[in-house]
Amino acid sequence: MMVLETILYLIAYPPLWHVLIVGLLGAFFTAVVAIWFERKTAARVQRRIGPYWASPRLGGFLNLIADMIRYILQEVIIPRSVDRVPFVLAPVAAFVISIMPMAFVPLSPYEKFWPVPNMDYSLLLALAISTVPPLMSIIGGWASNNKFSIIGSIRESYVITAYELIFVISLLSAAATYTSLNLLTIVNAQSPIAWLLFLNPIAFLAAFLAVLMSTSAFPFEIPESEHEVVGGPYTEYSGILYALNMGGAYVRRFIYAVIMSLVFLGGWAPYVPPADGPLFAIIIPSLIVAIKAVILVLIMSFLRAVYGRYRLDQALDSAWRLVLPMALIGLGWGIVLGLIL
Amino acid sequence: MSISEGTLGELRSKGVEVRRIDKEYYEIFIGPQHPGSGHMRFRVKLDGDIIVDADPDIGYVHRTMEKLSEGREWLKITPLVERMTIIDACNITLPYINALEKLMDKRPSTRASYLRVLLCEMNRIASHLYGFGIFGVFIGHSTAYMWGFGDREVFVELSEILTGTRLTYTYHIPGGVRRDMPQDFPQMVRRAVRYMRSRMPEYEKIFLNNPVIVTRLKDVGVITKNRAAELGVVGPTLRGSGIRYDVRLAEPYEVYGEIDFEVPVFEDGDALARTWVRVEEIKQSLNIMEQAIDWLERHRDEPVIPKEDYDKLPKLHKEVYEKSGRVKLLPAQISMKVPPGKAVARGEAGRGEIFYYVESDGGTMPYRLRVVTPSARNAIVFKRILPGHRLMDLPTVYGSIDYFAPEADR
Amino acid sequence: MPPRAVTKSVRKTGGLFDGVKSNVEALIIGVKYFIDPKRMTMFYPKEYLEHRPGYRGFIVLKKEVCISCAACARICPSAAMKMVRVSEVDPKEPAKQRQKQYPVINYQRCIFCGYCVDVCPVEALYHLPFHDVTYESLGDMFLTLDLFQKEPLRPVEKEGVPVVYEVDETLGLVKRERKGGG
């Protein structure tokens, strides 16, 4: 028993568990599942099969693995005209920084399983770090020295200014409700079923739309809009660097979804983790959080089949005129909730 | 480093196009190898996100149809000209055959006329669904793309059953058509019509009334009534601007004058109105198909070529026609001589009016063949309407006029 | 009633209620097809489409019927068909050799318009109801007189199941397994 216990403790060692296992592997796995699901959903709605021949019994799931291997082994072409250092560093940095918010979120109510000793400002820290990766795609687009990349980067920068405020405000409504920036307090207050999704649906919807915008999902797939700007900021990228860029968006979507499932979906609620052993104290609660996040990501993927893309100015217009007021109403209602509760 | 005026002059004398780069504007090239350009290139000048100047550079697939026709016998021109718009092959070749019939002073049999109309309308639906699909994917709606192409398959399959091939039918011959319809064809057509009618509300819900799409299309690429007349655009682009013009209405050819159908006209003149014109046209084409198939079912005994031609056919040819409905050609028709003269004919193809001018000097080949295709006339929209729009409106306008590059470069 | 132009107008949209309603309608259609996809995919090598007899596919020559009139070669719009001169045993006088012309086809150029089949005064040419045949090199697509008389093998017949398309009122095209064999 001791050996097993020790291995479990090693796995549950917070930096390892949070950043590498749930963060990197979870995000990686979610990215693959989300892309697969996106393709399969779109195929179903569009009356096709989607990925199939690579593994008919798994619904073509191995197709995605094969794609991944192809990206890893593909030649990376670095054009002569690019600014090499930022060109190569930007996607790598974006991918790594995308996972960093995982180092500031609690996946267990017990202090020994926290990656950082103090959770008092965890919501703020996680949000702050989650805003960095889009800057990297702007840097990458600028370093590409390609007209389409630059247009894509500029679009990305417009979109960032629009969604970030919305995302932060709508999440701060939770902080207003429970008068705390501590994610743990927020999660515990929602247990078992008083989730903010039900108490404050407007803030949830605003945050959901902000995530769609930030990770350029449909209907806000504007920076990479293929029919005007080819690949947007990623036009010049190839091979593994392109995969990091493209996968980075899905990873970010997953990380945002983790934050959202902690804030709006009650974290590991309705499960109440007991204090004995790493399995029940951290592994199961993190799985619950991850599953909630995956469901959110899959809902976002479904939208591809139903919507086209907005024009840039229309997306910004709807962000500032429709979603921002929604987020503000959410914040206001959050404050009211805080007074009631 | 700058090039001296002398060098520039030298380059100019060698035929190199030399122009100053405008430093105020951002110039990008969209196409011909670009995911959203088709077989053409746009030279787009941008001021920020606003298009200042868009120069459509057509000619990438230029195939000199008109000149090639001058070296071909009359019958062989049909398979050549239908390659202009392979997805609308019936509509695009019909006026040529009509012009030829005028020169030869031949009237098609009524049954052949109805079969032509039936195939033309199936083709129009297939062509609109194709354009609809391309339009959908241009503005990011992949479901419209797949649905359009999937449902188009129904009509392509029907055309295959009627003519023996999916797209390049080569169906018309002077005085008639090459195949009669199979016995079980009417039921299939009726089922397909009912199927498509039941699908239209779903298209409207997921695409046309989808708020994202409506926002994207409304008030984009507005061509006012006067502007449309001035630019000389044709087809759904013209009718989307409120002008009541359709060749089937203005100068009914074949049996269009006897069929009860509406020509939908929308007043708004924007991309949304043009899309709606196509959707309403699909509905009307379904009506026409039903009426044509009803008539064809009632008049099964008539041959698909004129009676006097049929009587002259050899015994084997009659046997083949009785057995399989296939009209065999006579070897004499290969190098038939057409009386000298000039003829024009026009028809309403999926994208608008198609016009043929055919001149014969009495030989086995035309002396001159002139084609004016709808896409060639609509291409002006890029130059005149795009400036002032945003870059993201380029695919919207492109898709909404349903531009088909090979058709413009005949 | 004769054809007539009718002015219609685009449905006016606007307002929060309308926006929510249209969004929900679009999502419902999406979910409806997500639950019941009504697929129309054909698994091509595993299934293949059996075209109807009138299909204009590959062309085969019945040499014994051919009267060497060259109408097929003359009508070919893409100059895919050419006449070749062969010397063969005269069927009437077996001791003698005779010179005769027969058509051959170049499938690099053929556009399957079917003019040659239709113009043949003795029905010496006929269509096969398929055209998915592969060749290893472009040179193989010039059929010799011997090959032109044989029906080419359709590779997909070896591994696939033949299906036919039927037009359906609710599903569009439905593929059904061909009834019976051969």
Side-chain angles (χ1 to χ4, degrees), chain B residues 84-112:
Chain B
M84 287 186 297
T85 320
I86 215 154
I87 50 173
D88 201 9
C90 173
N91 282 311
I92 224 83
T93 50
L94 185 56
Y96 165 69
I97 292 290
N98 284 344
L100 192 53
E101 279 166 354
K102 278 182 196 168
L103 281 177
M104 295 168 75
D105 198 20
K106 223 178 185 125
R107 291 275 309 156
S109 74
T110 321
R111 188 172 173 80

PDB file of all heavy atoms in Angstrom, chain B residues 84-112:
ATOM      1  N   MET B  84     -17.544  26.391 -70.516  1.00  0.00           N
ATOM      2  CA  MET B  84     -17.434  27.706 -69.860  1.00  0.00           C
ATOM      3  C   MET B  84     -17.980  27.640 -68.450  1.00  0.00           C
ATOM      4  O   MET B  84     -17.369  28.103 -67.508  1.00  0.00           O
ATOM      5  CB  MET B  84     -18.238  28.738 -70.640  1.00  0.00           C
ATOM      6  CG  MET B  84     -17.614  29.131 -71.914  1.00  0.00           C
ATOM      7  SD  MET B  84     -18.510  30.463 -72.676  1.00  0.00           S
ATOM      8  CE  MET B  84     -20.081  29.754 -72.989  1.00  0.00           C
ATOM      9  N   THR B  85     -19.169  27.085 -68.337  1.00  0.00           N
ATOM     10  CA  THR B  85     -19.808  26.980 -67.032  1.00  0.00           C
ATOM     11  C   THR B  85     -20.256  25.548 -66.889  1.00  0.00           C
ATOM     12  O   THR B  85     -21.390  25.207 -67.169  1.00  0.00           O
ATOM     13  CB  THR B  85     -21.028  27.903 -66.930  1.00  0.00           C
ATOM     14  OG1 THR B  85     -20.712  29.118 -67.554  1.00  0.00           O
ATOM     15  CG2 THR B  85     -21.388  28.149 -65.508  1.00  0.00           C
ATOM     16  N   ILE B  86     -19.353  24.738 -66.443  1.00  0.00           N
ATOM     17  CA  ILE B  86     -19.610  23.311 -66.462  1.00  0.00           C
ATOM     18  C   ILE B  86     -20.753  22.955 -65.516  1.00  0.00           C
ATOM     19  O   ILE B  86     -21.464  21.979 -65.722  1.00  0.00           O
ATOM     20  CB  ILE B  86     -18.300  22.588 -66.136  1.00  0.00           C
ATOM     21  CG1 ILE B  86     -18.218  21.289 -66.914  1.00  0.00           C
ATOM     22  CG2 ILE B  86     -18.137  22.373 -64.684  1.00  0.00           C
ATOM     23  CD1 ILE B  86     -16.836  20.838 -67.149  1.00  0.00           C
ATOM     24  N   ILE B  87     -20.986  23.798 -64.486  1.00  0.00           N
ATOM     25  CA  ILE B  87     -22.052  23.486 -63.547  1.00  0.00           C
ATOM     26  C   ILE B  87     -23.401  23.949 -64.051  1.00  0.00           C
ATOM     27  O   ILE B  87     -24.404  23.697 -63.426  1.00  0.00           O
ATOM     28  CB  ILE B  87     -21.778  24.142 -62.188  1.00  0.00           C
ATOM     29  CG1 ILE B  87     -21.448  25.605 -62.404  1.00  0.00           C
ATOM     30  CG2 ILE B  87     -20.691  23.427 -61.468  1.00  0.00           C
ATOM     31  CD1 ILE B  87     -21.322  26.352 -61.143  1.00  0.00           C
ATOM     32  N   ASP B  88     -23.424  24.656 -65.186  1.00  0.00           N
ATOM     33  CA  ASP B  88     -24.686  25.182 -65.695  1.00  0.00           C
ATOM     34  C   ASP B  88     -24.764  24.870 -67.182  1.00  0.00           C
ATOM     35  O   ASP B  88     -25.216  25.668 -67.986  1.00  0.00           O
ATOM     36  CB  ASP B  88     -24.717  26.695 -65.448  1.00  0.00           C
ATOM     37  CG  ASP B  88     -26.121  27.234 -65.454  1.00  0.00           C
ATOM     38  OD1 ASP B  88     -27.040  26.419 -65.468  1.00  0.00           O
ATOM     39  OD2 ASP B  88     -26.285  28.453 -65.455  1.00  0.00           O
ATOM     40  N   ALA B  89     -24.302  23.673 -67.545  1.00  0.00           N
ATOM     41  CA  ALA B  89     -24.017  23.375 -68.946  1.00  0.00           C
ATOM     42  C   ALA B  89     -25.255  23.449 -69.825  1.00  0.00           C
ATOM     43  O   ALA B  89     -25.169  23.835 -70.987  1.00  0.00           O
ATOM     44  CB  ALA B  89     -23.392  21.998 -69.051  1.00  0.00           C
ATOM     45  N   CYS B  90     -26.420  23.086 -69.293  1.00  0.00           N
ATOM     46  CA  CYS B  90     -27.615  23.080 -70.125  1.00  0.00           C
ATOM     47  C   CYS B  90     -28.000  24.496 -70.501  1.00  0.00           C
ATOM     48  O   CYS B  90     -28.219  24.816 -71.675  1.00  0.00           O
ATOM     49  CB  CYS B  90     -28.752  22.402 -69.385  1.00  0.00           C
ATOM     50  SG  CYS B  90     -30.300  22.521 -70.250  1.00  0.00           S
ATOM     51  N   ASN B  91     -28.072  25.382 -69.504  1.00  0.00           N
ATOM     52  CA  ASN B  91     -28.478  26.755 -69.774  1.00  0.00           C
ATOM     53  C   ASN B  91     -27.488  27.468 -70.676  1.00  0.00           C
ATOM     54  O   ASN B  91     -27.871  28.343 -71.454  1.00  0.00           O
ATOM     55  CB  ASN B  91     -28.576  27.524 -68.454  1.00  0.00           C
ATOM     56  CG  ASN B  91     -29.836  27.200 -67.722  1.00  0.00           C
ATOM     57  OD1 ASN B  91     -30.894  27.239 -68.306  1.00  0.00           O
ATOM     58  ND2 ASN B  91     -29.730  26.852 -66.455  1.00  0.00           N
ATOM     59  N   ILE B  92     -26.224  27.097 -70.556  1.00  0.00           N
ATOM     60  CA  ILE B  92     -25.203  27.862 -71.267  1.00  0.00           C
ATOM     61  C   ILE B  92     -25.133  27.446 -72.729  1.00  0.00           C
ATOM     62  O   ILE B  92     -24.718  28.228 -73.574  1.00  0.00           O
ATOM     63  CB  ILE B  92     -23.850  27.701 -70.525  1.00  0.00           C
ATOM     64  CG1 ILE B  92     -23.148  29.028 -70.419  1.00  0.00           C
ATOM     65  CG2 ILE B  92     -22.934  26.711 -71.182  1.00  0.00           C
ATOM     66  CD1 ILE B  92     -23.604  29.858 -69.300  1.00  0.00           C
ATOM     67  N   THR B  93     -25.561  26.221 -73.058  1.00  0.00           N
ATOM     68  CA  THR B  93     -25.490  25.804 -74.455  1.00  0.00           C
ATOM     69  C   THR B  93     -26.797  26.012 -75.199  1.00  0.00           C
ATOM     70  O   THR B  93     -26.800  26.044 -76.418  1.00  0.00           O
ATOM     71  CB  THR B  93     -25.111  24.316 -74.572  1.00  0.00           C
ATOM     72  OG1 THR B  93     -25.971  23.578 -73.722  1.00  0.00           O
ATOM     73  CG2 THR B  93     -23.686  24.084 -74.192  1.00  0.00           C
ATOM     74  N   LEU B  94     -27.884  26.150 -74.466  1.00  0.00           N
ATOM     75  CA  LEU B  94     -29.183  26.236 -75.131  1.00  0.00           C
ATOM     76  C   LEU B  94     -29.286  27.409 -76.118  1.00  0.00           C
ATOM     77  O   LEU B  94     -29.715  27.220 -77.256  1.00  0.00           O
ATOM     78  CB  LEU B  94     -30.292  26.286 -74.084  1.00  0.00           C
ATOM     79  CG  LEU B  94     -31.705  26.263 -74.610  1.00  0.00           C
ATOM     80  CD1 LEU B  94     -31.920  25.049 -75.484  1.00  0.00           C
ATOM     81  CD2 LEU B  94     -32.705  26.241 -73.486  1.00  0.00           C
ATOM     82  N   PRO B  95     -28.854  28.631 -75.748  1.00  0.00           N
ATOM     83  CA  PRO B  95     -28.967  29.724 -76.720  1.00  0.00           C
ATOM     84  C   PRO B  95     -28.143  29.485 -77.976  1.00  0.00           C
ATOM     85  O   PRO B  95     -28.543  29.910 -79.056  1.00  0.00           O
ATOM     86  CB  PRO B  95     -28.451  30.939 -75.949  1.00  0.00           C
ATOM     87  CG  PRO B  95     -28.621  30.585 -74.537  1.00  0.00           C
ATOM     88  CD  PRO B  95     -28.410  29.130 -74.441  1.00  0.00           C
ATOM     89  N   TYR B  96     -27.018  28.806 -77.840  1.00  0.00           N
ATOM     90  CA  TYR B  96     -26.234  28.507 -79.037  1.00  0.00           C
ATOM     91  C   TYR B  96     -27.060  27.647 -79.991  1.00  0.00           C
ATOM     92  O   TYR B  96     -27.124  27.914 -81.196  1.00  0.00           O
ATOM     93  CB  TYR B  96     -24.929  27.791 -78.658  1.00  0.00           C
ATOM     94  CG  TYR B  96     -24.269  27.137 -79.841  1.00  0.00           C
ATOM     95  CD1 TYR B  96     -23.710  27.904 -80.858  1.00  0.00           C
ATOM     96  CD2 TYR B  96     -24.247  25.756 -79.970  1.00  0.00           C
ATOM     97  CE1 TYR B  96     -23.151  27.303 -81.959  1.00  0.00           C
ATOM     98  CE2 TYR B  96     -23.687  25.156 -81.072  1.00  0.00           C
ATOM     99  CZ  TYR B  96     -23.135  25.938 -82.074  1.00  0.00           C
ATOM    100  OH  TYR B  96     -22.605  25.342 -83.174  1.00  0.00           O
ATOM    101  N   ILE B  97     -27.687  26.622 -79.441  1.00  0.00           N
ATOM    102  CA  ILE B  97     -28.497  25.742 -80.281  1.00  0.00           C
ATOM    103  C   ILE B  97     -29.686  26.520 -80.837  1.00  0.00           C
ATOM    104  O   ILE B  97     -30.068  26.357 -81.998  1.00  0.00           O
ATOM    105  CB  ILE B  97     -28.941  24.517 -79.455  1.00  0.00           C
ATOM    106  CG1 ILE B  97     -27.735  23.638 -79.124  1.00  0.00           C
ATOM    107  CG2 ILE B  97     -29.982  23.710 -80.181  1.00  0.00           C
ATOM    108  CD1 ILE B  97     -27.139  22.913 -80.300  1.00  0.00           C
ATOM    109  N   ASN B  98     -30.259  27.410 -80.022  1.00  0.00           N
ATOM    110  CA  ASN B  98     -31.367  28.232 -80.512  1.00  0.00           C
ATOM    111  C   ASN B  98     -30.932  29.093 -81.693  1.00  0.00           C
ATOM    112  O   ASN B  98     -31.656  29.215 -82.690  1.00  0.00           O
ATOM    113  CB  ASN B  98     -31.894  29.140 -79.394  1.00  0.00           C
ATOM    114  CG  ASN B  98     -32.734  28.379 -78.400  1.00  0.00           C
ATOM    115  OD1 ASN B  98     -33.170  27.275 -78.686  1.00  0.00           O
ATOM    116  ND2 ASN B  98     -32.950  28.950 -77.238  1.00  0.00           N
ATOM    117  N   ALA B  99     -29.741  29.687 -81.577  1.00  0.00           N
ATOM    118  CA  ALA B  99     -29.242  30.511 -82.682  1.00  0.00           C
ATOM    119  C   ALA B  99     -29.035  29.657 -83.913  1.00  0.00           C
ATOM    120  O   ALA B  99     -29.370  30.051 -85.035  1.00  0.00           O
ATOM    121  CB  ALA B  99     -27.934  31.180 -82.265  1.00  0.00           C
ATOM    122  N   LEU B 100     -28.502  28.468 -83.696  1.00  0.00           N
ATOM    123  CA  LEU B 100     -28.265  27.558 -84.804  1.00  0.00           C
ATOM    124  C   LEU B 100     -29.584  27.174 -85.451  1.00  0.00           C
ATOM    125  O   LEU B 100     -29.697  27.117 -86.694  1.00  0.00           O
ATOM    126  CB  LEU B 100     -27.541  26.321 -84.268  1.00  0.00           C
ATOM    127  CG  LEU B 100     -26.943  25.338 -85.260  1.00  0.00           C
ATOM    128  CD1 LEU B 100     -26.033  26.068 -86.219  1.00  0.00           C
ATOM    129  CD2 LEU B 100     -26.167  24.275 -84.519  1.00  0.00           C
ATOM    130  N   GLU B 101     -30.591  26.936 -84.633  1.00  0.00           N
ATOM    131  CA  GLU B 101     -31.905  26.572 -85.180  1.00  0.00           C
ATOM    132  C   GLU B 101     -32.487  27.714 -85.998  1.00  0.00           C
ATOM    133  O   GLU B 101     -33.135  27.493 -87.019  1.00  0.00           O
ATOM    134  CB  GLU B 101     -32.862  26.189 -84.041  1.00  0.00           C
ATOM    135  CG  GLU B 101     -32.653  24.765 -83.573  1.00  0.00           C
ATOM    136  CD  GLU B 101     -33.325  24.469 -82.253  1.00  0.00           C
ATOM    137  OE1 GLU B 101     -33.860  25.403 -81.627  1.00  0.00           O
ATOM    138  OE2 GLU B 101     -33.289  23.303 -81.836  1.00  0.00           O
ATOM    139  N   LYS B 102     -32.237  28.954 -85.529  1.00  0.00           N
ATOM    140  CA  LYS B 102     -32.727  30.094 -86.306  1.00  0.00           C
ATOM    141  C   LYS B 102     -32.065  30.115 -87.671  1.00  0.00           C
ATOM    142  O   LYS B 102     -32.715  30.381 -88.677  1.00  0.00           O
ATOM    143  CB  LYS B 102     -32.413  31.395 -85.561  1.00  0.00           C
ATOM    144  CG  LYS B 102     -33.433  31.717 -84.489  1.00  0.00           C
ATOM    145  CD  LYS B 102     -33.091  33.040 -83.832  1.00  0.00           C
ATOM    146  CE  LYS B 102     -33.843  33.186 -82.531  1.00  0.00           C
ATOM    147  NZ  LYS B 102     -33.337  34.290 -81.726  1.00  0.00           N
ATOM    148  N   LEU B 103     -30.759  29.853 -87.705  1.00  0.00           N
ATOM    149  CA  LEU B 103     -30.053  29.853 -88.983  1.00  0.00           C
ATOM    150  C   LEU B 103     -30.561  28.748 -89.887  1.00  0.00           C
ATOM    151  O   LEU B 103     -30.697  28.923 -91.096  1.00  0.00           O
ATOM    152  CB  LEU B 103     -28.554  29.656 -88.748  1.00  0.00           C
ATOM    153  CG  LEU B 103     -27.736  30.852 -88.292  1.00  0.00           C
ATOM    154  CD1 LEU B 103     -26.313  30.436 -88.054  1.00  0.00           C
ATOM    155  CD2 LEU B 103     -27.793  31.956 -89.325  1.00  0.00           C
ATOM    156  N   MET B 104     -30.826  27.581 -89.294  1.00  0.00           N
ATOM    157  CA  MET B 104     -31.241  26.427 -90.093  1.00  0.00           C
ATOM    158  C   MET B 104     -32.741  26.421 -90.342  1.00  0.00           C
ATOM    159  O   MET B 104     -33.241  25.547 -91.030  1.00  0.00           O
ATOM    160  CB  MET B 104     -30.854  25.129 -89.376  1.00  0.00           C
ATOM    161  CG  MET B 104     -29.363  24.922 -89.246  1.00  0.00           C
ATOM    162  SD  MET B 104     -29.002  23.600 -88.107  1.00  0.00           S
ATOM    163  CE  MET B 104     -29.429  22.193 -89.105  1.00  0.00           C
ATOM    164  N   ASP B 105     -33.437  27.369 -89.738  1.00  0.00           N
ATOM    165  CA  ASP B 105     -34.882  27.464 -89.857  1.00  0.00           C
ATOM    166  C   ASP B 105     -35.551  26.157 -89.423  1.00  0.00           C
ATOM    167  O   ASP B 105     -36.325  25.551 -90.148  1.00  0.00           O
ATOM    168  CB  ASP B 105     -35.280  27.824 -91.289  1.00  0.00           C
ATOM    169  CG  ASP B 105     -36.704  28.360 -91.312  1.00  0.00           C
ATOM    170  OD1 ASP B 105     -37.164  28.783 -90.234  1.00  0.00           O
ATOM    171  OD2 ASP B 105     -37.334  28.351 -92.373  1.00  0.00           O
ATOM    172  N   LYS B 106     -35.227  25.745 -88.246  1.00  0.00           N
ATOM    173  CA  LYS B 106     -35.744  24.500 -87.699  1.00  0.00           C
ATOM    174  C   LYS B 106     -36.473  24.827 -86.406  1.00  0.00           C
ATOM    175  O   LYS B 106     -36.042  25.689 -85.652  1.00  0.00           O
ATOM    176  CB  LYS B 106     -34.546  23.602 -87.368  1.00  0.00           C
ATOM    177  CG  LYS B 106     -34.727  22.164 -87.777  1.00  0.00           C
ATOM    178  CD  LYS B 106     -33.455  21.412 -87.442  1.00  0.00           C
ATOM    179  CE  LYS B 106     -33.635  20.055 -87.957  1.00  0.00           C
ATOM    180  NZ  LYS B 106     -32.912  19.351 -88.764  1.00  0.00           N
ATOM    181  N   ARG B 107     -37.585  24.141 -86.174  1.00  0.00           N
ATOM    182  CA  ARG B 107     -38.272  24.336 -84.905  1.00  0.00           C
ATOM    183  C   ARG B 107     -38.120  23.064 -84.096  1.00  0.00           C
ATOM    184  O   ARG B 107     -38.336  21.980 -84.608  1.00  0.00           O
ATOM    185  CB  ARG B 107     -39.772  24.588 -85.146  1.00  0.00           C
ATOM    186  CG  ARG B 107     -40.066  25.919 -85.802  1.00  0.00           C
ATOM    187  CD  ARG B 107     -40.161  27.052 -84.808  1.00  0.00           C
ATOM    188  NE  ARG B 107     -41.073  26.765 -83.706  1.00  0.00           N
ATOM    189  CZ  ARG B 107     -41.011  27.349 -82.511  1.00  0.00           C
ATOM    190  NH1 ARG B 107     -40.053  28.209 -82.274  1.00  0.00           N
ATOM    191  NH2 ARG B 107     -41.878  27.065 -81.582  1.00  0.00           N
ATOM    192  N   PRO B 108     -37.744  23.167 -82.847  1.00  0.00           N
ATOM    193  CA  PRO B 108     -37.668  21.944 -82.057  1.00  0.00           C
ATOM    194  C   PRO B 108     -39.069  21.396 -81.802  1.00  0.00           C
ATOM    195  O   PRO B 108     -40.044  22.153 -81.774  1.00  0.00           O
ATOM    196  CB  PRO B 108     -37.017  22.398 -80.755  1.00  0.00           C
ATOM    197  CG  PRO B 108     -37.318  23.835 -80.664  1.00  0.00           C
ATOM    198  CD  PRO B 108     -37.390  24.346 -82.067  1.00  0.00           C
ATOM    199  N   SER B 109     -39.168  20.092 -81.635  1.00  0.00           N
ATOM    200  CA  SER B 109     -40.469  19.524 -81.307  1.00  0.00           C
ATOM    201  C   SER B 109     -40.852  19.974 -79.900  1.00  0.00           C
ATOM    202  O   SER B 109     -39.993  20.295 -79.076  1.00  0.00           O
ATOM    203  CB  SER B 109     -40.425  18.003 -81.376  1.00  0.00           C
ATOM    204  OG  SER B 109     -39.729  17.509 -80.269  1.00  0.00           O
ATOM    205  N   THR B 110     -42.147  20.023 -79.625  1.00  0.00           N
ATOM    206  CA  THR B 110     -42.605  20.545 -78.333  1.00  0.00           C
ATOM    207  C   THR B 110     -42.073  19.691 -77.192  1.00  0.00           C
ATOM    208  O   THR B 110     -41.696  20.198 -76.147  1.00  0.00           O
ATOM    209  CB  THR B 110     -44.139  20.557 -78.293  1.00  0.00           C
ATOM    210  OG1 THR B 110     -44.610  20.951 -79.572  1.00  0.00           O
ATOM    211  CG2 THR B 110     -44.640  21.513 -77.251  1.00  0.00           C
ATOM    212  N   ARG B 111     -42.064  18.382 -77.429  1.00  0.00           N
ATOM    213  CA  ARG B 111     -41.564  17.504 -76.373  1.00  0.00           C
ATOM    214  C   ARG B 111     -40.101  17.813 -76.055  1.00  0.00           C
ATOM    215  O   ARG B 111     -39.706  17.880 -74.895  1.00  0.00           O
ATOM    216  CB  ARG B 111     -41.712  16.050 -76.805  1.00  0.00           C
ATOM    217  CG  ARG B 111     -41.385  15.082 -75.688  1.00  0.00           C
ATOM    218  CD  ARG B 111     -41.708  13.658 -76.068  1.00  0.00           C
ATOM    219  NE  ARG B 111     -41.243  12.730 -75.065  1.00  0.00           N
ATOM    220  CZ  ARG B 111     -41.878  12.487 -73.942  1.00  0.00           C
ATOM    221  NH1 ARG B 111     -43.002  13.085 -73.676  1.00  0.00           N
ATOM    222  NH2 ARG B 111     -41.376  11.637 -73.061  1.00  0.00           N
ATOM    223  N   ALA B 112     -39.321  18.051 -77.123  1.00  0.00           N
ATOM    224  CA  ALA B 112     -37.922  18.401 -76.898  1.00  0.00           C
ATOM    225  C   ALA B 112     -37.821  19.699 -76.120  1.00  0.00           C
ATOM    226  O   ALA B 112     -36.998  19.839 -75.204  1.00  0.00           O
ATOM    227  CB  ALA B 112     -37.209  18.519 -78.228  1.00  0.00           C
TER     228      ALA B 112
END
